[in-house]
């Protein structure tokens, strides 16, 4: 652990539990398989001790592996940065512009959002990534994006090694007939490699090639998405807030002009907010440089307006069937089973007679807040998530916008 801590920053040993999740297990397995097979195939194809090219090839391969793991573990263990529990702005007048988080018992700083997975308010939260089992946010954004760049480059290098190994090892063993292709793995080659290339080695190399190419495409696409986020200085959550702001202004015809406050005008300035020579992003994660026509709370004020509008537009439903909260319920119809939302957002169990304030939905599923009793409200509970549409029916009276119900909605 002391050796690892010289390369990776641990806030506490408790953070190691993040490895015990399907995301890191799959990600690290892919890295291990591609790296191990690439090193073994490099020995077969291009023995590193015979030529300078072979040595450079092997050193580059080791370099990719070290850099990928370094950025991956730092993205996971350094974390996105969290708003201190019970945080309040220094200027008490600013409280009116901020949302209150009952879980963290404090106010949400500008650009921060509460993550249900991490159970904390995250600085400049972009999303919760299952592959690192942590949020991507202010502090680890550069590490995460560097990992997304290095992983496809390393996998592309590994894929070239796999292809060249199979080509050089099978070239003298393939014979073509009129309608057949025969591979004789027992044939003696003119040049014998240090390690034998048998049929199991061929199958393992082919499997690793598929993993490497798939990772190159999938992770490469994620890299371009994150670079778009960085160059615009606009997280995916903030893009959604901006889109809803334009819809709200158009719906109510208010004549407002919404200017996104954190775009500094040029891509280079936005880029330097995340990537610095020191490796530490600019800012403290609470106060941010903003557009000249905006101020620190331009976005938080817009969020409060959208929360109020959401309460007005929410529709009240009453549960007519019990639902146990299963992700893919077997007893609620075939379409409900196969059209379950592809998201990690929770499902909420329902009992007949429960009241829910629905805010969005699909043809087969709905998302909303369950109306709680007074004791649950005092305890700061909030139950929201997806539920099958067939389990509820719309109430014929509208109390969703009443003052009492509004108090039950948490910011």
């Amino acid at each position: 652990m002391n050796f690892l801590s010289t390369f990776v920053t641990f806030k506490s040993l408790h953070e190691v539990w993040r490895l015990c999740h399907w995301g890191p297990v799959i990600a690290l397995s892919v890295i291990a398989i591609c790296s191990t097979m690439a090193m073994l195939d490099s020995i077969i194809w291009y023995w590193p001790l015979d030529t300078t090219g072979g040595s450079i090839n092997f050193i580059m391969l080791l370099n990719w592996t070290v850099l990928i793991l370094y950025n991956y573990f730092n993205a996971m263990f350094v974390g996105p940065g969290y708003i201190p529990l019970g945080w309040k702005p220094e200027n008490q007048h600013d409280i009116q512009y901020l949302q209150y988080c009952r879980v963290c018992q404090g106010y949400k700083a500008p650009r921060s959002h509460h993550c249900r997975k991490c159970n904390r308010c995250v600085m400049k939260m972009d999303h919760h990534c299952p592959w690192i089992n942590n949020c991507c946010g202010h502090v680890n954004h550069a590490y995460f994006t560097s990992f997304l760049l290095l992983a496809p480059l390393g996998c592309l290098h590994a894929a070239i090694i796999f292809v060249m190994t199979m080509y050089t090892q099978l070239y003298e063993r393939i014979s073509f007939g009129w309608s057949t292709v025969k591979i004789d793995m027992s044939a003696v080659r003119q040049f014998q490699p240090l390690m034998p290339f048998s049929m199991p080695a061929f199958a393992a190399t082919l499997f690793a090639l598929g993993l490497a190419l798939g990772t190159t495409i999938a992770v490469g696409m994620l890299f371009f998405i994150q670079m778009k986020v960085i160059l615009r200085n606009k997280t995916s959550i903030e893009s959604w807030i901006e889109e809803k702001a334009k819809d709200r202004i158009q719906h109510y015809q208010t004549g407002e002009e919404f200017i996104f406050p954190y775009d500094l005008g040029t891509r280079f300035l936005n880029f330097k907010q995340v990537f610095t020579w020191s490796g530490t992003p600019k800012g403290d994660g609470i106060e941010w440089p903003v557009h000249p026509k905006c101020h620190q709370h331009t976005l938080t004020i817009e969020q409060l307006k959208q929360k109020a509008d959401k309460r007005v537009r929410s529709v009240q439903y009453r549960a007519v069937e019990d639902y146990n909260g299963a992700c893919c319920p077997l007893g609620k119809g075939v379409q409900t089973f196969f059209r379950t939302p592809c998201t990690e957002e929770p499902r909420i169990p329902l009992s007949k007679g429960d009241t829910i304030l629905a805010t969005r939905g699909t043809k087969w599923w709905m998302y909303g807040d369950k109306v709680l009793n007074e004791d649950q409200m005092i305890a700061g509970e909030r139950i929201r998530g997806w539920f099958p549409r067939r389990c509820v029916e719309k109430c014929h009276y509208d109390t969703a916008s009443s003052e009492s119900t509004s108090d039950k909605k948490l910011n």
Side-chain angles (χ1 to χ4, degrees):
M1 184 63 69
N2 291 334
F3 173 77
L4 185 60
S5 64
T6 60
F7 298 97
V8 182
T9 302
F10 287 93
K11 290 185 178 179
S12 67
L13 290 177
H14 179 68
E15 290 291 316
V16 180
W17 71 268
R18 295 189 183 278
L19 292 169
C20 304
H21 183 263
W22 62 266
V25 169
I26 294 176
L28 292 174
S29 297
V30 171
I31 295 172
I33 292 172
C34 291
S35 298
T36 303
M37 287 304 303
M39 291 176 189
L40 294 175
D41 282 0
S42 290
I43 296 175
I44 296 175
W45 166 56
Y46 208 173
W47 176 238
L49 299 183
D50 284 346
T51 62
T52 303
S55 300
I56 294 175
N57 173 70
F58 200 80
I59 292 172
M60 285 183 62
L61 191 60
L62 291 174
N63 182 61
W64 291 127
T65 303
V66 171
L67 289 177
I68 288 170
L69 291 175
Y70 171 79
N71 285 281
Y72 179 82
F73 284 125
N74 274 298
M76 178 188 295
F77 294 126
V78 170
Y82 301 107
I83 302 297
L85 296 174
W87 180 83
K88 293 181 180 180
E90 294 182 2
N91 186 353
Q92 296 300 310
H93 178 73
D94 294 338
I95 287 178
Q96 62 181 317
Y97 306 129
L98 302 173
Q99 300 179 72
Y100 184 78
C101 178
R102 293 196 177 184
V103 177
C104 298
Q105 296 293 306
Y107 289 89
K108 299 179 183 179
R111 308 193 80 177
S112 67
H113 302 275
H114 186 84
C115 175
R116 288 191 296 269
K117 296 289 185 179
C118 299
N119 205 32
R120 289 289 299 274
C121 287
V122 177
M123 296 177 177
K124 203 190 79 171
M125 178 179 175
D126 183 75
H127 68 287
H128 184 92
C129 178
W131 304 111
I132 63 173
N133 195 21
N134 207 339
C135 281
C136 174
H138 173 59
V139 179
N140 66 349
H141 204 170
Y143 290 122
F144 182 73
T145 308
S146 298
F147 164 73
L148 296 182
L149 171 63
L150 294 167
L153 293 177
C155 286
L156 189 60
H157 184 192
I160 294 173
I161 293 174
F162 298 147
V163 171
M164 293 305 299
T165 301
M166 289 189 291
Y167 172 76
T168 56
Q169 296 301 308
L170 300 179
Y171 180 75
E172 297 176 2
R173 296 173 173 175
I174 298 179
S175 59
F176 296 92
W178 286 104
S179 59
T180 60
V181 177
K182 183 179 179 181
I183 302 177
D184 185 6
M185 298 300 293
S186 62
V188 179
R189 299 185 65 248
Q190 294 180 1
F191 172 74
Q192 289 294 333
L194 184 66
M195 295 174 57
F197 191 75
S198 58
M199 185 59 74
F202 170 70
T205 300
L206 197 61
F207 175 72
L209 175 62
L211 281 182
L213 293 177
T215 302
T216 300
I217 296 172
V219 181
M221 292 175 62
L222 294 177
F223 168 73
F224 284 109
I225 292 174
Q226 283 304 308
M227 284 306 299
K228 183 179 178 181
V229 168
I230 291 172
L231 294 178
R232 294 182 176 183
N233 204 5
K234 185 189 304 179
T235 67
S236 56
I237 296 177
E238 290 167 349
S239 296
W240 176 237
I241 293 173
E242 183 183 36
E243 183 179 342
K244 290 193 293 182
K246 295 176 180 178
D247 290 341
R248 182 186 62 81
I249 292 171
Q250 183 179 8
H251 177 78
Y252 291 106
Q253 297 293 316
T254 60
E256 301 174 60
E257 180 187 8
F258 179 76
I259 300 175
F260 183 72
Y262 304 115
D263 187 348
L264 302 183
T266 66
R267 294 181 177 181
F268 182 64
L269 290 176
N270 292 336
F271 180 84
K272 290 197 300 181
Q273 290 293 306
V274 176
F275 289 95
T276 62
W277 290 112
S278 65
T280 304
K282 290 185 177 180
D284 58 2
I286 294 178
E287 293 189 2
W288 307 90
V290 295
H291 189 279
K293 295 183 179 180
C294 303
H295 55 82
Q296 286 293 321
H297 301 101
T298 297
L299 193 68
T300 59
I301 291 173
E302 174 58 34
Q303 288 178 266
L304 291 174
K305 291 180 181 179
Q306 291 179 13
K307 290 286 185 180
D309 182 50
K310 182 179 177 180
R311 286 192 285 266
V312 171
R313 293 201 205 183
S314 61
V315 181
Q316 184 166 319
Y317 285 81
R318 187 172 298 279
V320 294
E321 294 182 19
D322 292 338
Y323 167 56
N324 62 4
C327 181
C328 299
L330 294 173
K332 303 301 179 183
V334 176
Q335 294 287 358
T336 302
F337 179 84
F338 286 105
R339 299 292 183 88
T340 183
C342 297
T343 173
E344 289 193 345
E345 290 176 314
R347 275 63 170 169
I348 55 174
L350 298 177
S351 299
K352 192 172 181 179
D354 287 343
T355 303
I356 309 98
L357 297 178
T359 54
R360 54 191 166 103
T362 64
K363 186 176 180 180
W364 306 102
W365 289 80
M366 301 191 74
Y367 185 92
D369 287 77
K370 184 186 288 188
V371 177
L372 306 178
N373 57 43
E374 187 174 352
D375 293 335
Q376 290 174 313
M377 290 170 54
I378 295 175
E381 292 185 31
R382 184 179 188 181
I383 302 176
R384 61 175 175 172
W386 291 94
F387 52 91
R389 185 181 285 269
R390 62 171 288 174
C391 293
V392 297
E393 64 178 14
K394 186 177 179 180
C395 296
H396 297 292
Y397 52 90
D398 183 17
T399 60
S401 59
S402 65
E403 184 177 350
S404 60
T405 305
S406 296
D407 291 338
K408 296 179 183 180
K409 299 284 286 179
L410 306 179
N411 288 328

